Amino acid sequence: MKHYFDGLILSLLFTLLSFGLVGMHVHMNHTAIPHELLYVVLPLFAVAQLLVQTVYFLHLPQGNGWNKFVYGFAILIVVLVVGGSLWIMSNLQHNQSEMFIGEPSPEHQLD
Amino acid sequence: MPTDKTTLGFWLYIMSDCVLFASLFATFAVLRGSEDIFSLPFVFVQTLALLISSFTVGLAFVTKKQNTFLILTLLLGLGFLGLEVYEFKNLMLEGFGPSHSAYLSSFFALVGTHGLHVAAGCLWMLVMLVTQRFYQLQRLVLFWHFLDIIWIFIFTFVYLFGII
Amino acid sequence: MSLFGLLTPQAFIHGPIETGAQIIVIVAVLVTVLAITYLGRWRWLWQQWLTSLDPKRIGIMYILLSFVMFGRGFVDALMMKSQQALAVGAPGYISPDHFAQLFTAHGVIMIFFAAMAFMFGIINLVLPLQLGSKDVAFPLLNSISFWLTATGALLLNLSLVVGQFAATGWLAYPPLSELAYSPGVGVDYYIWALQIAGIGTLLSGINFLTTIATMRGHLRLMQMPMFTWTTLGSMLLVIFAFPILTVTLALLALDRTLGFHFFTTDLGGNAMMYVNLIWAWGHPEVYILVLPAFGIFSEVVATFSQKKLFGYTSMVVATMLIVVLSFMVWVHHFFTMGAGADVNAFFGIMTMAIAIPTGVKVFNWLFTMFRGRIIFATPMLWFIGFLTTFTIGGMTGVLMSIPAADFQLHNSLFLVAHFHNMIIGGVVFGFFAGFTYWFPKFTGIMLNERWGKAAFWAWIVGFLMAFMPLYALGLMGVTRRLDHIDVASGLYTQPWAHWLFDIAAAGAAVIALAVLFQIIQIIVSIWNKHKHHVGENPWRSQGPEWQEPAEPLHERSARGVAIGAVAALFGFGLIWHIWWLAALALIGILLSLITLPKPEYAD
């Protein structure tokens, strides 16, 4: 019971931090905190809350081996699918939107 | 032991659902765009509702007061859903429906799928309360916690990122 | 909005050849129904088979389903081969749209309803026995999975009778598969057949993994037979890869049905994201198929070399490495899509890397044979056939893993030869080996060796004839999925290109002969069962599944059939936009889930 309560408090903490930061940022006309910092810190808070809920709500450390193994495997696959897709698709985007600037070089002329 | 069997099986289903949501997140990230359509306070209330309901559903399991805490969880869950339906309806009425752009399609698919899972959880709770059979409670609790965890990533990457 | 959605009498009218197929399907169903009625076997069928929760019976039903679907997929192949033989500077006898449906259906059927179905059949039969358990973790779920797979097959076959099938290739890439370019119901049949069957598969993955994890008794992990280990690996892949397929197909359905824009050519859609996602599933899928085949070979090699399997620990490690690596290579299916050298190089290297644990397995099998006392029974012949053909296919795979080479060979006949090499040489030969090996366990009858050997030789000769020429033709530049060849291409008239095509066509005919031999083998063995009757462990195997008799189980439930039937109505309703039917069916599914009986162990 106490475990759950601690988990709630910690989760609330990270939630308030995330929303608070963005709230402040918006309030200051999107200038107070650099975007890049937010793009790093907010995901970190999300991961922190994931870990909090995994320990305090899901009680994973007390689970049996299989539960922990497939949880780890799931994290791996999620990272591969999301990260991999982002890497691949942005790479495509980058390589395909290259326009020739000015005249194409002689080898690339069509006639 | 039979109980372990069912819990592991359900846990495996949850893990597969993680990959399901990962694919939706990946699609959202790749097809990203931006529209100024989100309200910070609104999402905050939704987030609180779901977080507190994650707490109450846990209490339903560890205390013996299943009815009290399940009803609380159900109400919070329905509240969350109500807010979400309201948001979706307004977006569609204002011309930001899912058929308007890839970004909006991804938004509705990702957040909508989560919402459907929440609705399924609410239905599950309703059936439990009506039949007064709580032998599936541990699995429901796992399911509900998992939905709150997915929401953490939704509010971060969809809403907060969308508002910055 | 019409009561029947898009369904009109027009949907039943097809061209001449499709009408032929339509008639065959209808007649086949009628004959089956009449035969069962005439023999008075409905009650027996319902009680002993359709509602059975015995994994052995469910396994046999999966295998029978796979045989029927393999037959259809093979007919598709023969039609394609004959069309290509006839269509040089001539139209042939199959229209381009029909041809496209043929190659689409051929791929979908072979992968999902022949290979996957057979695989789940064998796992159902053998896995519980190898673990010393009577049943799987969730028997009712097992039945539901089978019936969902059967429903998928039903929808696919229904497209022959009413409507059409997708004409997009077996992976249905957008934009071709979007509504704008595939306005009919074909792609919707594709989507819903696979979604429904896919749910069945995912549930089986959960079921079998839980079985291995919790129903081993005192058997330790490192004491499990190799077939069990490879099934474990395969089921891990199922659980983590199939959700990607579910999402991708759902997004395509949302585009087509509700006007979303994930993969459309406008409003920000990105068709390449579909290709990315579908292959993130698609690559693990081929390992899902081949790992159990590898497991079968481990069992077969040990038994027929009369020796313990060499290098058990390295086999286990190799298997788990393959599982992890199979999620890290998927871009090799679309090197040419436009990624930069860094992305392509990474995935090229990972593709080469995954060949290493596979090689470890091959060497372990060879070392098992070394100094063994080899018995060249049919299962062992399948293994040796696999060893030679799969190695060739593997090498061509590593060849194509070099992006620069792949730019030449992508979507050529070289690619077609490679993947048929892997799937036929690896998966299909493995399944044949397993079928022959375990047949006596479950029937008490040994399959006729003479016909078995004849079938093996016909298969391997036919396979080599049908596919080795394709490597050469691919290198010469011939692309895949050609429904005709223009005389202007000069291709077919070059003397030896001509020969290559003819040998390939002849090879398909030899494979047809091989399949005929297999059918004869089964008939002869059962007809003369008194001559083929054997005892408990005819191969004198050390495998645990051979050491005890397999008892029939008598639990039954109609819920699997019911869910399958309702799922069929749901799919049909969505395909034809008969919304009320889909909605009712959905309610039916929810009700059947809510009213599941409380299990005995629950308190």
Side-chain angles (χ1 to χ4, degrees):
Chain A
M1 165 88 190
K2 180 178 183 307
H3 226 198
Y4 266 111
F5 194 67
D6 293 340
L8 176 66
I9 299 297
L10 281 170
S11 297
L12 263 172
L13 176 72
F14 285 113
T15 306
L16 286 167
L17 275 171
S18 298
F19 276 90
L21 273 177
V22 175
M24 242 173 53
H25 179 82
V26 170
H27 191 66
M28 315 273 206
N29 273 331
H30 297 251
T31 54
I33 308 163
H35 277 199
E36 292 72 26
L37 187 64
L38 283 173
Y39 284 143
V40 169
V41 164
L42 291 175
L44 280 175
F45 284 163
V47 172
Q49 206 183 139
L50 164 70
L51 290 171
V52 164
Q53 293 211 9
T54 302
V55 170
Y56 288 89
F57 286 177
L58 295 176
H59 313 299
L60 195 72
Q62 291 100 346
N64 73 51
W66 286 98
N67 287 336
K68 289 190 272 207
F69 170 68
V70 293
Y71 180 86
F73 202 81
I75 304 267
L76 173 69
I77 302 305
V78 167
V79 167
L80 285 173
V81 168
V82 178
S85 297
L86 276 169
W87 185 39
I88 294 162
M89 299 307 291
S90 74
N91 198 276
L92 282 177
Q93 196 96 320
H94 176 77
N95 281 292
Q96 290 182 343
S97 58
E98 297 265 301
M99 304 297 253
F100 286 119
I101 299 167
E103 280 274 291
S105 58
E107 315 94 83
H108 290 115
Q109 298 269 19
L110 285 175
D111 46 35
Chain B
M1 286 285 94
T3 332
D4 283 347
K5 198 170 62 165
T6 328
T7 310
L8 176 63
F10 193 75
W11 183 246
L12 289 173
Y13 153 69
I14 301 267
M15 293 299 102
S16 79
D17 237 8
C18 286
V19 179
L20 190 112
F21 278 104
S23 310
L24 288 167
F25 271 107
T27 305
F28 180 80
V30 166
L31 298 177
R32 63 182 169 275
S34 61
E35 305 274 10
D36 184 17
I37 47 178
F38 302 131
S39 146
L40 196 63
F42 196 85
V43 179
F44 185 62
V45 172
Q46 279 187 291
T47 306
L48 280 185
L50 207 60
L51 179 56
I52 295 172
S53 74
S54 206
F55 177 63
T56 54
V57 85
L59 291 182
F61 186 63
V62 299
T63 71
K64 285 305 161 200
K65 302 204 186 79
Q66 292 104 340
N67 278 314
T68 320
F69 288 112
L70 273 185
I71 291 176
L72 260 173
T73 310
L74 178 60
L75 287 173
L76 286 165
L78 288 173
F80 173 90
L81 278 178
L83 290 171
E84 191 151 277
V85 168
Y86 176 80
E87 178 194 20
F88 279 15
K89 206 187 68 150
N90 276 2
L91 280 173
M92 290 198 267
L93 286 175
E94 283 162 26
F96 293 106
S99 51
H100 279 90
S101 70
Y103 169 66
L104 285 165
S105 294
S106 319
F107 167 79
F108 275 90
L110 173 58
V111 182
T113 302
H114 177 265
L116 280 174
H117 279 75
V118 173
C122 289
L123 181 63
W124 195 358
M125 277 189 277
L126 190 62
V127 171
M128 266 196 206
L129 286 166
V130 165
T131 61
Q132 286 292 296
R133 288 173 161 184
F134 301 108
Y135 65 93
Q136 294 179 336
L137 187 56
Q138 185 178 30
R139 298 194 283 286
L140 170 72
V141 170
L142 277 178
F143 186 64
W144 203 258
H145 286 325
F146 157 74
L147 289 179
D148 192 43
I149 289 175
I150 299 290
W151 183 256
I152 299 171
F153 291 95
I154 292 182
F155 82 66
T156 304
F157 290 105
V158 176
Y159 289 100
L160 292 183
F161 272 33
I163 288 174
I164 302 175
Chain C
M1 188 84 289
S2 143
L3 190 64
F4 292 107
L6 301 169
L7 185 58
T8 64
Q10 267 4 68
F12 289 86
I13 317 277
H14 299 118
I17 299 177
E18 292 103 315
T19 306
Q22 186 186 37
I23 292 174
I24 291 176
V25 170
I26 296 174
V27 165
V29 171
L30 277 174
V31 164
T32 311
V33 168
L34 285 171
I36 300 172
T37 312
Y38 178 75
L39 295 167
R41 288 292 211 162
W42 281 110
R43 167 161 295 210
W44 169 81
L45 192 67
W46 180 257
Q47 285 182 344
Q48 300 295 323
W49 290 96
L50 304 185
T51 57
S52 169
L53 298 183
D54 184 343
K56 297 182 285 301
R57 292 191 183 226
I58 294 176
I60 291 172
M61 287 196 289
Y62 265 116
I63 291 178
L64 288 172
L65 176 69
S66 86
F67 282 174
V68 169
M69 295 307 283
F70 174 83
R72 196 189 138 189
F74 190 52
V75 167
D76 289 336
L78 290 174
M79 287 176 73
M80 288 191 281
K81 277 277 180 238
S82 55
Q83 162 69 10
Q84 286 178 332
L86 293 171
V88 182
Y93 71 105
I94 298 178
S95 71
D97 178 72
H98 186 194
F99 190 85
Q101 290 182 51
L102 280 176
F103 63 69
T104 307
H106 171 77
V108 171
I109 289 172
M110 288 310 203
I111 300 256
F112 288 95
F113 299 105
M116 291 291 277
F118 190 94
M119 180 187 87
F120 281 124
I122 282 262
I123 293 175
N124 261 299
L125 284 165
V126 176
L127 182 74
L129 298 179
Q130 286 202 333
L131 295 175
S133 156
K134 283 207 190 131
D135 205 338
V136 297
F138 308 111
L140 178 58
L141 203 65
N142 202 10
S143 173
I144 292 173
S145 287
F146 169 73
W147 284 108
L148 288 175
T149 307
T151 293
L154 171 73
L155 285 173
L156 200 151
N157 286 320
L158 206 56
S159 71
L160 271 180
V161 177
V162 49
Q164 74 240 83
F165 197 59
T168 54
W170 80 282
L171 284 174
Y173 286 2
L176 180 58
S177 56
E178 291 278 357
L179 204 58
Y181 300 102
S182 284
V185 293
V187 175
D188 300 296
Y189 264 113
Y190 168 90
I191 289 174
W192 293 107
L194 293 188
Q195 279 292 48
I196 293 171
I199 303 280
T201 301
L202 182 63
L203 294 174
S204 284
I206 294 173
N207 209 344
F208 292 125
L209 190 60
T210 308
T211 307
I212 295 173
T214 61
M215 294 176 80
R216 270 178 289 132
H218 295 297
L219 191 67
R220 321 234 330 239
L221 276 176
M222 293 305 273
Q223 293 171 323
M224 298 196 308
M226 272 320 294
F227 179 72
T228 303
W229 266 112
T230 55
T231 301
L232 174 74
S234 175
M235 295 305 108
L236 269 173
L237 289 175
V238 165
I239 293 170
F240 289 105
F242 265 78
I244 305 174
L245 177 71
T246 308
V247 166
T248 314
L249 291 177
L251 299 185
L252 184 64
L254 284 171
D255 272 4
R256 287 177 62 85
T257 313
L258 291 178
F260 282 46
H261 285 286
F262 295 104
F263 312 122
T264 53
T265 50
D266 59 342
L267 292 181
N270 191 338
M272 294 182 286
M273 186 55 180
Y274 178 98
V275 176
N276 173 56
L277 283 174
I278 205 93
W279 279 115
W281 163 81
H283 194 82
E285 163 67 8
V286 309
Y287 285 98
I288 289 169
L289 288 174
V290 89
L291 281 176
F294 286 167
I296 295 174
F297 286 128
S298 290
E299 307 286 345
V300 163
V301 173
T303 301
F304 293 96
S305 306
Q306 301 188 77
K307 218 170 136 235
K308 211 166 74 102
L309 183 71
F310 185 92
Y312 177 85
T313 307
S314 65
M315 279 298 215
V316 171
V317 171
T319 305
M320 298 314 286
L321 263 177
I322 291 174
V323 168
V324 173
L325 286 173
S326 66
F327 273 105
M328 299 170 106
V329 300
W330 79 91
V331 174
H332 72 229
H333 297 277
F334 51 94
F335 278 139
T336 60
M337 200 160 82
D342 45 356
V343 169
N344 279 351
F346 171 76
F347 283 96
I349 293 171
M350 295 309 288
T351 307
M352 289 186 228
I354 203 171
I356 298 174
T358 315
V360 165
K361 285 183 168 276
V362 170
F363 280 106
N364 278 337
W365 290 317
L366 289 173
F367 291 144
T368 309
M369 289 173 74
F370 181 68
R371 296 233 177 120
R373 288 168 300 136
I374 316 263
I375 302 169
F376 287 99
T378 303
M380 193 59 175
L381 290 180
W382 287 118
F383 167 71
I384 295 174
F386 149 81
L387 205 60
T388 43
T389 55
F390 194 77
T391 306
I392 298 172
M395 289 197 283
T396 57
V398 175
L399 191 163
M400 283 191 292
S401 76
I402 301 166
D406 188 72
F407 266 69
Q408 270 300 111
L409 300 168
H410 181 66
N411 276 349
S412 69
L413 287 185
F414 192 95
L415 173 70
V416 173
H418 161 74
F419 64 68
H420 281 92
N421 211 336
M422 302 308 259
I423 299 188
I424 295 181
V427 178
V428 176
F429 282 14
F431 290 169
F432 289 160
F435 183 76
T436 314
Y437 179 57
W438 279 307
F439 194 86
K441 171 71 186 172
F442 297 100
T443 61
I445 301 170
M446 183 79 87
L447 283 171
N448 184 286
E449 267 295 296
R450 274 216 347 253
W451 284 106
K453 291 192 159 97
F456 163 73
W457 285 110
W459 255 106
I460 193 151
V461 168
F463 164 76
L464 290 170
M465 285 173 69
F467 290 101
M468 293 299 116
L470 265 48
Y471 281 123
L473 288 168
L475 282 167
M476 286 159 67
V478 184
T479 42
R480 70 193 288 197
R481 297 176 173 167
L482 292 175
D483 66 274
H484 71 280
I485 297 168
D486 288 328
V487 178
S489 73
L491 185 66
Y492 208 88
T493 55
Q494 280 179 34
W496 67 298
H498 195 234
W499 278 115
L500 290 171
F501 273 113
D502 288 348
I503 295 172
V510 176
I511 295 179
L513 197 64
V515 173
L516 181 65
F517 288 167
Q518 287 175 305
I519 296 173
I520 294 175
Q521 179 195 35
I522 295 176
I523 294 175
V524 163
S525 311
I526 298 181
W527 196 263
N528 290 332
K529 56 180 183 230
H530 52 278
K531 268 209 310 204
H532 292 92
H533 196 71
V534 288
E536 290 281 311
N537 190 353
W539 306 116
R540 289 193 301 215
S541 165
Q542 305 288 342
E545 73 276 17
W546 292 98
Q547 309 309 326
E548 306 227 328
E551 315 250 319
L553 300 177
H554 299 293
E555 278 76 30
R556 302 200 283 122
S557 171
R559 198 170 288 260
V561 189
I563 290 181
V566 179
L569 292 171
F570 180 64
F572 192 78
L574 286 173
I575 291 166
W576 290 100
H577 293 199
I578 308 173
W579 306 124
W580 59 265
L581 181 63
L584 276 178
L586 188 59
I587 294 174
I589 293 172
L590 280 173
L591 278 174
S592 61
L593 291 176
I594 293 174
T595 58
L596 275 172
K598 182 170 143 174
E600 319 79 56
Y601 58 79
D603 45 46

mmCIF file of all heavy atoms in Angstrom, chain C residues 24-38 42:
data_model
loop_
_atom_site.group_PDB
_atom_site.id
_atom_site.type_symbol
_atom_site.label_atom_id
_atom_site.label_comp_id
_atom_site.label_asym_id
_atom_site.label_seq_id
_atom_site.Cartn_x
_atom_site.Cartn_y
_atom_site.Cartn_z
ATOM 1 N N ILE C 24 -14.673 -24.319 -59.407
ATOM 2 C CA ILE C 24 -13.942 -25.371 -58.689
ATOM 3 C C ILE C 24 -14.137 -25.223 -57.183
ATOM 4 O O ILE C 24 -14.379 -26.210 -56.474
ATOM 5 C CB ILE C 24 -12.434 -25.327 -59.046
ATOM 6 C CG1 ILE C 24 -12.237 -25.750 -60.495
ATOM 7 C CG2 ILE C 24 -11.624 -26.226 -58.115
ATOM 8 C CD1 ILE C 24 -10.803 -25.646 -60.968
ATOM 9 N N VAL C 25 -14.037 -23.975 -56.683
ATOM 10 C CA VAL C 25 -14.193 -23.773 -55.236
ATOM 11 C C VAL C 25 -15.581 -24.200 -54.792
ATOM 12 O O VAL C 25 -15.742 -24.946 -53.818
ATOM 13 C CB VAL C 25 -13.952 -22.287 -54.859
ATOM 14 C CG1 VAL C 25 -14.355 -22.032 -53.418
ATOM 15 C CG2 VAL C 25 -12.496 -21.927 -55.050
ATOM 16 N N ILE C 26 -16.590 -23.741 -55.542
ATOM 17 C CA ILE C 26 -17.968 -24.055 -55.139
ATOM 18 C C ILE C 26 -18.200 -25.556 -55.186
ATOM 19 O O ILE C 26 -18.771 -26.150 -54.259
ATOM 20 C CB ILE C 26 -18.966 -23.311 -56.042
ATOM 21 C CG1 ILE C 26 -18.808 -21.795 -55.834
ATOM 22 C CG2 ILE C 26 -20.392 -23.749 -55.753
ATOM 23 C CD1 ILE C 26 -19.639 -20.964 -56.770
ATOM 24 N N VAL C 27 -17.737 -26.194 -56.265
ATOM 25 C CA VAL C 27 -17.926 -27.639 -56.395
ATOM 26 C C VAL C 27 -17.195 -28.378 -55.275
ATOM 27 O O VAL C 27 -17.733 -29.315 -54.675
ATOM 28 C CB VAL C 27 -17.432 -28.118 -57.780
ATOM 29 C CG1 VAL C 27 -17.283 -29.625 -57.800
ATOM 30 C CG2 VAL C 27 -18.390 -27.672 -58.871
ATOM 31 N N ALA C 28 -15.959 -27.938 -54.980
ATOM 32 C CA ALA C 28 -15.186 -28.601 -53.915
ATOM 33 C C ALA C 28 -15.933 -28.541 -52.594
ATOM 34 O O ALA C 28 -16.027 -29.533 -51.865
ATOM 35 C CB ALA C 28 -13.810 -27.950 -53.782
ATOM 36 N N VAL C 29 -16.459 -27.379 -52.283
ATOM 37 C CA VAL C 29 -17.197 -27.236 -51.016
ATOM 38 C C VAL C 29 -18.430 -28.132 -51.030
ATOM 39 O O VAL C 29 -18.705 -28.867 -50.070
ATOM 40 C CB VAL C 29 -17.587 -25.762 -50.788
ATOM 41 C CG1 VAL C 29 -18.536 -25.642 -49.611
ATOM 42 C CG2 VAL C 29 -16.350 -24.923 -50.550
ATOM 43 N N LEU C 30 -19.178 -28.098 -52.141
ATOM 44 C CA LEU C 30 -20.398 -28.918 -52.234
ATOM 45 C C LEU C 30 -20.069 -30.398 -52.098
ATOM 46 O O LEU C 30 -20.742 -31.131 -51.368
ATOM 47 C CB LEU C 30 -21.089 -28.665 -53.572
ATOM 48 C CG LEU C 30 -21.985 -27.429 -53.625
ATOM 49 C CD1 LEU C 30 -22.494 -27.218 -55.048
ATOM 50 C CD2 LEU C 30 -23.154 -27.591 -52.666
ATOM 51 N N VAL C 31 -19.050 -30.841 -52.815
ATOM 52 C CA VAL C 31 -18.682 -32.263 -52.763
ATOM 53 C C VAL C 31 -18.322 -32.668 -51.350
ATOM 54 O O VAL C 31 -18.742 -33.721 -50.846
ATOM 55 C CB VAL C 31 -17.510 -32.546 -53.739
ATOM 56 C CG1 VAL C 31 -16.868 -33.882 -53.436
ATOM 57 C CG2 VAL C 31 -17.988 -32.502 -55.169
ATOM 58 N N THR C 32 -17.544 -31.794 -50.668
ATOM 59 C CA THR C 32 -17.151 -32.106 -49.294
ATOM 60 C C THR C 32 -18.376 -32.230 -48.402
ATOM 61 O O THR C 32 -18.519 -33.185 -47.640
ATOM 62 C CB THR C 32 -16.213 -31.009 -48.752
ATOM 63 O OG1 THR C 32 -15.187 -30.766 -49.697
ATOM 64 C CG2 THR C 32 -15.602 -31.424 -47.428
ATOM 65 N N VAL C 33 -19.257 -31.245 -48.508
ATOM 66 C CA VAL C 33 -20.452 -31.258 -47.651
ATOM 67 C C VAL C 33 -21.304 -32.495 -47.948
ATOM 68 O O VAL C 33 -21.766 -33.190 -47.032
ATOM 69 C CB VAL C 33 -21.264 -29.961 -47.870
ATOM 70 C CG1 VAL C 33 -22.633 -30.075 -47.236
ATOM 71 C CG2 VAL C 33 -20.514 -28.774 -47.289
ATOM 72 N N LEU C 34 -21.468 -32.782 -49.229
ATOM 73 C CA LEU C 34 -22.290 -33.942 -49.593
ATOM 74 C C LEU C 34 -21.654 -35.240 -49.103
ATOM 75 O O LEU C 34 -22.337 -36.141 -48.620
ATOM 76 C CB LEU C 34 -22.491 -33.982 -51.110
ATOM 77 C CG LEU C 34 -23.484 -32.946 -51.631
ATOM 78 C CD1 LEU C 34 -23.461 -32.890 -53.154
ATOM 79 C CD2 LEU C 34 -24.894 -33.283 -51.142
ATOM 80 N N ALA C 35 -20.335 -35.326 -49.247
ATOM 81 C CA ALA C 35 -19.650 -36.556 -48.827
ATOM 82 C C ALA C 35 -19.819 -36.785 -47.334
ATOM 83 O O ALA C 35 -20.128 -37.897 -46.894
ATOM 84 C CB ALA C 35 -18.163 -36.475 -49.190
ATOM 85 N N ILE C 36 -19.633 -35.721 -46.564
ATOM 86 C CA ILE C 36 -19.770 -35.876 -45.119
ATOM 87 C C ILE C 36 -21.197 -36.277 -44.769
ATOM 88 O O ILE C 36 -21.440 -37.128 -43.900
ATOM 89 C CB ILE C 36 -19.367 -34.580 -44.387
ATOM 90 C CG1 ILE C 36 -17.909 -34.225 -44.697
ATOM 91 C CG2 ILE C 36 -19.551 -34.736 -42.890
ATOM 92 C CD1 ILE C 36 -17.504 -32.870 -44.169
ATOM 93 N N THR C 37 -22.166 -35.674 -45.448
ATOM 94 C CA THR C 37 -23.564 -36.007 -45.174
ATOM 95 C C THR C 37 -23.843 -37.456 -45.527
ATOM 96 O O THR C 37 -24.452 -38.199 -44.754
ATOM 97 C CB THR C 37 -24.496 -35.102 -45.993
ATOM 98 O OG1 THR C 37 -24.067 -33.752 -45.843
ATOM 99 C CG2 THR C 37 -25.940 -35.244 -45.531
ATOM 100 N N TYR C 38 -23.376 -37.853 -46.697
ATOM 101 C CA TYR C 38 -23.611 -39.214 -47.174
ATOM 102 C C TYR C 38 -23.031 -40.243 -46.206
ATOM 103 O O TYR C 38 -23.625 -41.282 -45.935
ATOM 104 C CB TYR C 38 -22.995 -39.378 -48.563
ATOM 105 C CG TYR C 38 -23.124 -40.756 -49.133
ATOM 106 C CD1 TYR C 38 -24.348 -41.202 -49.636
ATOM 107 C CD2 TYR C 38 -22.044 -41.627 -49.172
ATOM 108 C CE1 TYR C 38 -24.476 -42.471 -50.154
ATOM 109 C CE2 TYR C 38 -22.156 -42.894 -49.698
ATOM 110 C CZ TYR C 38 -23.383 -43.321 -50.193
ATOM 111 O OH TYR C 38 -23.502 -44.573 -50.698
ATOM 112 N N TRP C 42 -21.252 -35.967 -39.713
ATOM 113 C CA TRP C 42 -21.261 -34.603 -39.180
ATOM 114 C C TRP C 42 -21.003 -34.600 -37.682
ATOM 115 O O TRP C 42 -20.230 -33.817 -37.158
ATOM 116 C CB TRP C 42 -22.594 -33.901 -39.492
ATOM 117 C CG TRP C 42 -22.636 -33.399 -40.888
ATOM 118 C CD1 TRP C 42 -23.397 -33.876 -41.910
ATOM 119 C CD2 TRP C 42 -21.852 -32.336 -41.439
ATOM 120 N NE1 TRP C 42 -23.153 -33.184 -43.061
ATOM 121 C CE2 TRP C 42 -22.208 -32.228 -42.812
ATOM 122 C CE3 TRP C 42 -20.893 -31.460 -40.936
ATOM 123 C CZ2 TRP C 42 -21.642 -31.286 -43.655
ATOM 124 C CZ3 TRP C 42 -20.324 -30.518 -41.787
ATOM 125 C CH2 TRP C 42 -20.703 -30.436 -43.119
#
